[in-house]
Amino acid sequence: MNAAPRVAIVGGGMLGMSLALRLARERFAVTIFEHAPELGGLAAPWRLGAITWDRHYHVTLSSDDELLALLDELDLRDRVRWKGLRSAFYIAGALHPFSSALDFLRFPALGTIDKVRLGLTVAHARAHRDGSALAGVGVETWLRRESGDRVFERIWRPLLRAKLGDAYPEVAASFIWATIRRMYGASGSATQRFGYVEGGYRTIVERMAALLARNGVRIELGRGVDGVVAAGDALALACGARVERFERVVVTTPTPIAARICDALSQEERDRLRAIRYQGVVCASVLLDRALGDAYVTNIADDRIPFTGAIEMTALVDARTFGNRHLVYLPRYADPSDRFFTAGDAEVRHAASRTLALVFPNYAPSAIRAFRVSRVPHVFALPTVGYAGGLPGFSTTRRGLYLATSAQIVDGTLNVNETLELSRRAAAHIVADPRFRSAAVHEATS
Ligand SMILES: Cc1cc2nc3c(=O)[nH]c(=O)nc-3n(C[C@H](O)[C@H](O)[C@H](O)COP(=O)(O)OP(=O)(O)OC[C@H]3O[C@@H](n4cnc5c(N)ncnc54)[C@H](O)[C@@H]3O)c2cc1C
């Protein structure tokens, strides 16, 4: 009997873990190599003062079918807590609720005609079945045409800047389509509910690790992969001084990292991976002794403020979970070269405190109980105009070396549900790879 083919998965985020599980169930002998000391990647938990919660804010939507199916498998579905959530807008120096139709009608930054145009823009975006028709047109061009200049300047530009930083003019209008689709659910009809699993992503990642172990997956933590080179018919994977042979290797990291470590790829492939532009995030977690308001997301539309939003996790999660403290995240999405990535914790904390003082009347600097900063220079690939045309597929020119990376999410936003959907497609591709099928047939017939 043939031994199970050996597969290495580079990266132990939600993508790498889910892929590992799928391949292990297809009788591959799977090893995950994760650079960090723990699994979870962007969804990993960390310590903040006396609490442990997600390093980056995470919410689950009632339309997240792939994620909910995974929670079923992990026996966690009944530990999801659901809620309706509110949002707000900080604009022209004042905070406004922005959750209901009434809030929208009362919103002072737009006149009646502007509001109608905004509503029609959302309706037009929703009328598209997929994002392909909007993938070739710039988001700014499309939104100015649909909503008018005033709505663009007051609403769309701040929202685009909040997620895309100064790179927004290069992004395709399909980004808006994908964002709106996520807000309304894939079916387009459901009113979204928002949820989290008790204990946060720590609960999910721990259950996932246990399931992987039960399926025979070997997990190597604190083992960053430095190189993947061709070794005859197979691939050699180097971690520091250790080198191991695998028949197949799947790289799930952002593409600039894949370009760096995949020596087995052609120069042209590596150049293409390097050319994909990324947006990073500097995300401050602040634990406070009081609530700021009742909104989960407050969009900050003010060029003087370095953070692009405030996410009050305790609008979703009961404050008792955090020992009656209140957890707030302040993200700044920016180009990896942004100077905030090299700013020290003290500087970021000062900026965070100033932001909270400006935006929330309830805030006082003495309310901070714990503070921590996450810096990730490569979070998601920018969906620029014509983006899908330049994307790598799962297979590469090197037999057995695959890329499965969030950059391959087209027509979607970065979220765990899309990540799991990508892993399903990647696993099916790897299992059915004809380059291995023909080898097996050849072996059997010779
Ligand atoms: C601020 C923020 C907020 C978010 N909010 C939500 C939300 O509300 N809801 C939602 O569903 N999703 C949310 N997401 C998105 C979600 O976290 C991602 O979709 C998901 O975690 C991506 O998983 P991944 O495995 O593709 O990538 P990653 O998590 O980035 O995993 C890649 C892994 O590769 C490892 N790695 C890198 N280099 C090497 C190497 N050389 N060798 C070995 N390992 C390596 C990394 O350490 C990392 O663990 C959010 C993300 C961020 C940043």
Side-chain angles (χ1 to χ4, degrees), residues 36-58 199-203 205-206 281-287 313 322 327-330 345 348 370-376:
E38 73 283 310
L39 290 169
L42 295 173
W46 72 356
R47 250 177 97 107
L48 175 66
I51 70 164
T52 299
W53 200 257
D54 309 348
R55 173 180 170 198
H56 303 112
Y57 53 93
H58 276 81
Y201 263 79
R202 172 159 77 159
T203 310
V205 172
E206 282 176 0
V281 77
V282 176
C283 187
S285 292
V286 196
L287 197 61
M313 192 47 70
F322 305 131
L327 174 57
V328 177
Y329 296 88
L330 292 169
D345 284 5
V348 179
F371 181 86
R372 212 169 162 188
V373 188
S374 167
R375 300 170 181 84
V376 188

Side-chain angles (χ1 to χ4, degrees), residues 286-295 311-315 317 319 322-329 356-357 360-370:
V286 196
L287 197 61
L288 299 169
D289 69 3
R290 68 198 65 172
L292 295 177
D294 62 0
I311 290 85
E312 190 159 0
M313 192 47 70
T314 5
V317 181
F322 305 131
N324 290 319
R325 304 283 189 224
H326 296 261
L327 174 57
V328 177
Y329 296 88
L356 294 174
F360 298 100
N362 278 1
Y363 173 77
S366 61
I368 296 186
R369 289 292 169 269

Side-chain angles (χ1 to χ4, degrees), residues 64 122 125 141-142 159 204 225 237 241 302 349 354 377 399 434 446:
D64 283 346
V122 173
T141 309
W142 190 77
L159 287 177
I204 300 176
V225 173
L237 189 139
D302 189 325
R349 181 177 174 141
R354 268 193 32 230
R399 178 177 174 269
S446 59

